[in-house]
Amino acid sequence: MSNNAFRDHIAHDNMTPLWEVLRGLTPREPKQTADPVIWRAETIRQNMKMACEVISAEDAERRVLVLENPKFQGKSQITSSLYAGIQMILPGEVAPSHRHTASALRLILSGQGGFTTVHGEKVLMNPGDFVITPTNVFHDHGAQGTEPVMWLDGLDVPVVQMLNAGFSADDPNLRQVLTRPTGDSNARFAAGLRPVGDTHGGPVSPLFHYPYSRTRAALEQLSLVDEWDACNGFKLMFTNPTNGLSPIRSMGAFMQMFPAGFKGTSFRETDGAVCCVVEGSLRVQVGDQTWTACKDDVFVLPGWAWRCFEADEQCVLFSFSDRPLQEHLGFWRSEINPSATTTPGENHENLSV
């Protein structure tokens, strides 16, 4: 019996030869499954303005424009494991309270007077703030000032979908009933203190609001003492104060600062990352593509793609990825290429979407 005939014969029994697919299942190294893409801030703002004219936050439930990687067209994915979108709330609007299995993180981009309510606690959000809404927790958003509020959303939806573990529910109330005063979680957990007798544990961080003023001060202090990393400048990870791990187990979020004149070493990591410039500008080289990212531009660093950074002025960069999940599973790996000869500024191509 020939190999083809054998394959056709066992196919009727829902079987297939491993030797014909083995290398695809166990590759020599990760494949680049996502494209390097950049979404310009001005394009984002223009499209969000039109979205606000098309639908209300309440009718949409979440007025969000999904940032979709061309390699995953139609799948609402920015990398193989991450979802990203841009959300806007107009003054007086409320995005109704709901909950879902997927965990969410947010970087506030613009606008004053925005708020989110999690676990019955309402917090005000300012540009640069990092906010999480953990798995299966009711949350609503709104804008009580005079400005539209816009932010970057990141969720682990593709992971939840892969595991077929997704649930969701609407809150009977449009807005949550407030059961804790504003600042309660920060007072309990963000000052290097913890209530005596607190038994908090599990996957949900009790702290869900990380003000940018505190993050920025930490980066500045770090830069006064430490030498910058040759690849990443000064980089900090947001953590759950009860265990020092990522506030979300499937995703990690980071804030880093590149000093003026930074010229980074080329490196690669297995986690694909979604990045957003918070301050300044940054030249980014990914593979053979190079662009300059400015404030509120969002871009993708595909997993295991060579990348390096260069900054003429001081730059602050936010990013999130599935690194904590990969590290927990023992998968995460990085590699530095100190002999790289190409530097940002060469081979420019426009990857704007």
Side-chain angles (χ1 to χ4, degrees):
M1 180 182 291
S2 69
N3 189 62
N4 289 342
F6 174 70
R7 184 199 315 114
D8 294 340
H9 177 76
I10 66 174
H12 294 290
D13 298 317
N14 300 311
M15 303 173 75
T16 192
L18 173 63
W19 56 87
E20 294 191 354
V21 297
L22 179 61
R23 193 49 58 218
L25 298 176
T26 58
R28 297 302 185 193
E29 64 177 31
K31 298 177 181 179
Q32 186 174 316
T33 59
D35 281 341
V37 187
I38 185 167
W39 289 265
R40 297 296 182 184
E42 183 57 31
T43 301
I44 290 172
R45 282 191 291 267
Q46 289 176 356
N47 289 340
M48 282 304 317
K49 181 180 178 181
M50 288 189 288
C52 290
E53 296 170 355
V54 169
I55 194 167
S56 70
E58 185 174 351
D59 287 341
E61 189 168 353
R62 292 296 185 267
R63 187 197 286 115
V64 177
L65 298 182
V66 179
L67 302 181
E68 198 167 63
N69 196 290
K71 282 288 183 68
F72 304 110
Q73 192 169 19
K75 297 182 178 180
S76 298
Q77 292 177 225
I78 196 164
T79 72
S80 59
S81 63
L82 299 173
Y83 160 102
I86 303 293
Q87 184 166 174
M88 179 173 278
I89 303 286
L90 296 178
E93 286 188 326
V94 174
S97 179
H98 69 190
R99 66 182 180 187
H100 38 70
T101 301
S103 299
L105 56 82
R106 317 183 195 285
L107 173 72
I108 312 307
L109 300 177
S110 61
Q112 302 289 334
F115 69 85
T116 190
T117 305
V118 177
H119 274 313
E121 181 184 348
K122 174 182 173 182
V123 297
L124 294 179
M125 306 182 297
N126 297 295
D129 287 3
F130 172 64
V131 179
I132 66 168
T133 52
T135 177
N136 287 317
V137 172
F138 279 116
H139 53 280
D140 58 75
H141 317 292
Q144 61 188 33
T146 59
E147 304 173 5
V149 180
M150 186 170 69
W151 62 81
L152 169 67
D153 281 327
L155 287 86
D156 56 3
V157 169
V159 176
V160 175
Q161 290 179 329
M162 179 191 68
L163 298 173
N164 193 30
F167 295 88
S168 66
D170 296 326
D171 194 328
N173 302 303
L174 177 68
R175 295 172 61 169
Q176 284 183 67
V177 176
L178 300 182
T179 58
R180 295 191 295 166
T182 295
D184 184 76
S185 59
N186 265 275
R188 292 173 184 268
F189 298 101
L193 301 168
R194 184 175 179 178
V196 174
D198 175 71
T199 58
H200 186 88
V204 178
S205 171
L207 187 65
F208 65 94
H209 178 224
Y210 300 73
Y212 182 57
S213 58
R214 190 170 64 215
T215 305
R216 189 67 166 82
L219 285 170
E220 286 287 354
Q221 186 62 39
L222 194 66
S223 70
L224 297 177
V225 179
D226 292 2
E227 292 291 331
W228 67 62
D229 179 82
C231 298
N232 284 304
F234 303 101
K235 189 171 184 178
L236 296 173
M237 181 181 78
F238 292 97
T239 61
N240 177 340
T242 66
N243 56 26
L245 302 177
S246 172
I248 298 172
R249 289 184 172 180
S250 55
M251 297 185 290
F254 311 85
M255 197 75 80
Q256 64 196 108
M257 184 169 68
F258 299 97
F262 180 85
K263 294 184 178 181
T265 301
S266 180
F267 69 104
R268 59 182 178 176
E269 300 171 332
T270 52
D271 56 316
V274 180
C275 306
C276 182
V277 177
V278 179
E279 292 183 41
S281 62
L282 185 71
R283 280 192 295 281
V284 184
Q285 180 174 320
V286 189
D288 61 356
Q289 311 290 347
T290 302
W291 65 84
T292 297
C294 301
K295 185 177 180 341
D296 294 342
D297 288 351
V298 179
F299 60 90
V300 179
L301 300 174
W304 210 235
W306 290 106
R307 77 288 303 264
C308 60
F309 304 113
E310 182 178 295
D312 292 334
E313 59 179 331
Q314 187 183 78
C315 177
V316 178
L317 183 71
F318 169 83
S319 63
F320 69 93
S321 76
D322 64 3
R323 178 170 173 171
L325 178 59
Q326 290 198 25
E327 288 179 329
H328 177 73
L329 296 173
F331 297 165
W332 189 83
R333 185 181 299 188
S334 66
E335 184 175 323
I336 296 176
N337 182 13
S339 62
T341 57
T342 57
T343 59
E346 300 176 356
N347 194 30
H348 287 262
E349 294 190 29
N350 183 3
L351 301 181
S352 300
V353 171

